[in-house]
mmCIF file of all heavy atoms in Angstrom:
data_model
loop_
_atom_site.group_PDB
_atom_site.id
_atom_site.type_symbol
_atom_site.label_atom_id
_atom_site.label_comp_id
_atom_site.label_asym_id
_atom_site.label_seq_id
_atom_site.Cartn_x
_atom_site.Cartn_y
_atom_site.Cartn_z
ATOM 1 N N ARG A 78 -7.578 -22.711 -6.558
ATOM 2 C CA ARG A 78 -8.451 -21.772 -5.849
ATOM 3 C C ARG A 78 -8.130 -20.307 -6.190
ATOM 4 O O ARG A 78 -9.022 -19.492 -6.354
ATOM 5 C CB ARG A 78 -8.331 -22.004 -4.333
ATOM 6 C CG ARG A 78 -9.213 -21.057 -3.511
ATOM 7 C CD ARG A 78 -10.673 -21.177 -3.909
ATOM 8 N NE ARG A 78 -11.524 -20.339 -3.071
ATOM 9 C CZ ARG A 78 -12.728 -19.875 -3.495
ATOM 10 N NH1 ARG A 78 -13.186 -20.170 -4.697
ATOM 11 N NH2 ARG A 78 -13.434 -19.139 -2.684
ATOM 12 N N LEU A 79 -6.846 -20.016 -6.317
ATOM 13 C CA LEU A 79 -6.477 -18.658 -6.694
ATOM 14 C C LEU A 79 -7.025 -18.302 -8.076
ATOM 15 O O LEU A 79 -7.506 -17.188 -8.268
ATOM 16 C CB LEU A 79 -4.954 -18.512 -6.711
ATOM 17 C CG LEU A 79 -4.199 -18.644 -5.392
ATOM 18 C CD1 LEU A 79 -2.730 -18.357 -5.573
ATOM 19 C CD2 LEU A 79 -4.804 -17.774 -4.304
ATOM 20 N N ARG A 80 -6.964 -19.257 -8.997
ATOM 21 C CA ARG A 80 -7.496 -18.995 -10.322
ATOM 22 C C ARG A 80 -9.009 -18.763 -10.288
ATOM 23 O O ARG A 80 -9.589 -18.022 -11.103
ATOM 24 C CB ARG A 80 -7.154 -20.141 -11.279
ATOM 25 C CG ARG A 80 -5.644 -20.254 -11.489
ATOM 26 C CD ARG A 80 -5.289 -21.137 -12.670
ATOM 27 N NE ARG A 80 -3.856 -21.314 -12.786
ATOM 28 C CZ ARG A 80 -3.008 -20.434 -13.292
ATOM 29 N NH1 ARG A 80 -3.489 -19.256 -13.724
ATOM 30 N NH2 ARG A 80 -1.721 -20.642 -13.346
ATOM 31 N N GLU A 81 -9.666 -19.424 -9.377
ATOM 32 C CA GLU A 81 -11.134 -19.214 -9.232
ATOM 33 C C GLU A 81 -11.434 -17.821 -8.750
ATOM 34 O O GLU A 81 -12.442 -17.220 -9.140
ATOM 35 C CB GLU A 81 -11.719 -20.239 -8.253
ATOM 36 C CG GLU A 81 -11.706 -21.669 -8.748
ATOM 37 C CD GLU A 81 -12.138 -22.680 -7.703
ATOM 38 O OE1 GLU A 81 -12.429 -22.246 -6.548
ATOM 39 O OE2 GLU A 81 -12.179 -23.876 -8.004
ATOM 40 N N LEU A 82 -10.596 -17.287 -7.872
ATOM 41 C CA LEU A 82 -10.808 -15.937 -7.306
ATOM 42 C C LEU A 82 -10.339 -14.828 -8.213
ATOM 43 O O LEU A 82 -10.818 -13.675 -8.108
ATOM 44 C CB LEU A 82 -10.099 -15.826 -5.950
ATOM 45 C CG LEU A 82 -10.641 -16.678 -4.815
ATOM 46 C CD1 LEU A 82 -9.694 -16.636 -3.609
ATOM 47 C CD2 LEU A 82 -12.034 -16.151 -4.395
ATOM 48 N N ALA A 83 -9.388 -15.128 -9.094
ATOM 49 C CA ALA A 83 -8.773 -14.081 -9.902
ATOM 50 C C ALA A 83 -9.729 -13.644 -11.055
ATOM 51 O O ALA A 83 -10.527 -14.418 -11.551
ATOM 52 C CB ALA A 83 -7.458 -14.565 -10.469
ATOM 53 N N GLU A 84 -9.538 -12.398 -11.477
ATOM 54 C CA GLU A 84 -10.281 -11.860 -12.588
ATOM 55 C C GLU A 84 -9.362 -10.999 -13.477
ATOM 56 O O GLU A 84 -8.374 -10.432 -12.985
ATOM 57 C CB GLU A 84 -11.411 -10.943 -12.085
ATOM 58 C CG GLU A 84 -12.505 -11.689 -11.341
ATOM 59 C CD GLU A 84 -13.696 -10.771 -11.039
ATOM 60 O OE1 GLU A 84 -13.745 -9.646 -11.590
ATOM 61 O OE2 GLU A 84 -14.575 -11.190 -10.271
ATOM 62 N N PRO A 85 -9.674 -10.907 -14.748
ATOM 63 C CA PRO A 85 -8.881 -10.018 -15.601
ATOM 64 C C PRO A 85 -9.125 -8.562 -15.243
ATOM 65 O O PRO A 85 -10.090 -8.222 -14.551
ATOM 66 C CB PRO A 85 -9.396 -10.333 -17.001
ATOM 67 C CG PRO A 85 -10.776 -10.860 -16.781
ATOM 68 C CD PRO A 85 -10.733 -11.607 -15.492
ATOM 69 N N ALA A 86 -8.236 -7.701 -15.713
ATOM 70 C CA ALA A 86 -8.313 -6.272 -15.423
ATOM 71 C C ALA A 86 -9.592 -5.638 -15.941
ATOM 72 O O ALA A 86 -10.038 -4.597 -15.452
ATOM 73 C CB ALA A 86 -7.112 -5.552 -15.999
ATOM 74 N N ASP A 87 -10.217 -6.286 -16.954
ATOM 75 C CA ASP A 87 -11.474 -5.752 -17.477
ATOM 76 C C ASP A 87 -12.669 -6.628 -17.024
ATOM 77 O O ASP A 87 -13.715 -6.624 -17.669
ATOM 78 C CB ASP A 87 -11.431 -5.691 -18.999
ATOM 79 C CG ASP A 87 -11.157 -7.049 -19.644
ATOM 80 O OD1 ASP A 87 -10.891 -8.023 -18.915
ATOM 81 O OD2 ASP A 87 -11.171 -7.121 -20.882
ATOM 82 N N GLY A 88 -12.494 -7.345 -15.908
ATOM 83 C CA GLY A 88 -13.520 -8.208 -15.401
ATOM 84 C C GLY A 88 -14.562 -7.525 -14.529
ATOM 85 O O GLY A 88 -14.553 -6.300 -14.334
ATOM 86 N N PRO A 89 -15.462 -8.314 -13.922
ATOM 87 C CA PRO A 89 -16.570 -7.761 -13.136
ATOM 88 C C PRO A 89 -16.125 -6.911 -11.940
ATOM 89 O O PRO A 89 -16.765 -5.931 -11.626
ATOM 90 C CB PRO A 89 -17.317 -8.992 -12.673
ATOM 91 C CG PRO A 89 -16.981 -10.062 -13.677
ATOM 92 C CD PRO A 89 -15.585 -9.764 -14.096
ATOM 93 N N LEU A 90 -15.034 -7.292 -11.257
ATOM 94 C CA LEU A 90 -14.617 -6.529 -10.074
ATOM 95 C C LEU A 90 -14.229 -5.103 -10.422
ATOM 96 O O LEU A 90 -14.676 -4.150 -9.825
ATOM 97 C CB LEU A 90 -13.442 -7.241 -9.386
ATOM 98 C CG LEU A 90 -13.753 -8.279 -8.307
ATOM 99 C CD1 LEU A 90 -12.468 -8.840 -7.735
ATOM 100 C CD2 LEU A 90 -14.619 -7.690 -7.195
ATOM 101 N N VAL A 91 -13.362 -4.986 -11.409
ATOM 102 C CA VAL A 91 -12.909 -3.632 -11.817
ATOM 103 C C VAL A 91 -14.054 -2.873 -12.442
ATOM 104 O O VAL A 91 -14.211 -1.643 -12.223
ATOM 105 C CB VAL A 91 -11.697 -3.718 -12.747
ATOM 106 C CG1 VAL A 91 -11.320 -2.332 -13.237
ATOM 107 C CG2 VAL A 91 -10.534 -4.359 -12.008
ATOM 108 N N HIS A 92 -14.936 -3.577 -13.163
ATOM 109 C CA HIS A 92 -16.134 -2.915 -13.712
ATOM 110 C C HIS A 92 -16.976 -2.336 -12.569
ATOM 111 O O HIS A 92 -17.480 -1.240 -12.662
ATOM 112 C CB HIS A 92 -16.935 -3.906 -14.525
ATOM 113 C CG HIS A 92 -18.250 -3.326 -15.034
ATOM 114 N ND1 HIS A 92 -18.315 -2.481 -16.111
ATOM 115 C CD2 HIS A 92 -19.511 -3.475 -14.563
ATOM 116 C CE1 HIS A 92 -19.589 -2.142 -16.288
ATOM 117 N NE2 HIS A 92 -20.327 -2.707 -15.396
ATOM 118 N N SER A 93 -17.107 -3.116 -11.475
ATOM 119 C CA SER A 93 -17.888 -2.637 -10.326
ATOM 120 C C SER A 93 -17.235 -1.397 -9.677
ATOM 121 O O SER A 93 -17.896 -0.468 -9.286
ATOM 122 C CB SER A 93 -18.050 -3.737 -9.307
ATOM 123 O OG SER A 93 -18.781 -4.813 -9.809
ATOM 124 N N LEU A 94 -15.886 -1.403 -9.619
ATOM 125 C CA LEU A 94 -15.196 -0.243 -9.096
ATOM 126 C C LEU A 94 -15.455 0.984 -9.977
ATOM 127 O O LEU A 94 -15.610 2.104 -9.480
ATOM 128 C CB LEU A 94 -13.724 -0.519 -8.969
ATOM 129 C CG LEU A 94 -13.211 -1.448 -7.868
ATOM 130 C CD1 LEU A 94 -11.713 -1.565 -7.916
ATOM 131 C CD2 LEU A 94 -13.655 -0.955 -6.499
ATOM 132 N N ARG A 95 -15.385 0.770 -11.281
ATOM 133 C CA ARG A 95 -15.651 1.897 -12.217
ATOM 134 C C ARG A 95 -17.064 2.441 -11.971
ATOM 135 O O ARG A 95 -17.249 3.685 -12.014
ATOM 136 C CB ARG A 95 -15.505 1.394 -13.651
ATOM 137 C CG ARG A 95 -14.108 1.163 -14.112
ATOM 138 C CD ARG A 95 -14.054 1.120 -15.651
ATOM 139 N NE ARG A 95 -12.744 0.723 -16.119
ATOM 140 C CZ ARG A 95 -12.489 -0.495 -16.576
ATOM 141 N NH1 ARG A 95 -13.395 -1.430 -16.578
ATOM 142 N NH2 ARG A 95 -11.246 -0.797 -16.990
ATOM 143 N N LYS A 96 -17.996 1.563 -11.732
ATOM 144 C CA LYS A 96 -19.393 2.031 -11.530
ATOM 145 C C LYS A 96 -19.501 2.823 -10.212
ATOM 146 O O LYS A 96 -20.158 3.870 -10.159
ATOM 147 C CB LYS A 96 -20.352 0.843 -11.504
ATOM 148 C CG LYS A 96 -21.832 1.261 -11.438
ATOM 149 C CD LYS A 96 -22.731 0.100 -11.572
ATOM 150 C CE LYS A 96 -24.180 0.598 -11.758
ATOM 151 N NZ LYS A 96 -24.626 1.650 -10.833
#
Side-chain angles (χ1 to χ4, degrees):
R78 179 55 177 156
L79 295 185
R80 296 194 184 283
E81 292 172 359
L82 291 171
E84 294 188 9
D87 59 354
L90 271 180
V91 176
H92 176 77
S93 296
L94 287 181
R95 287 198 188 102
K96 187 174 189 313

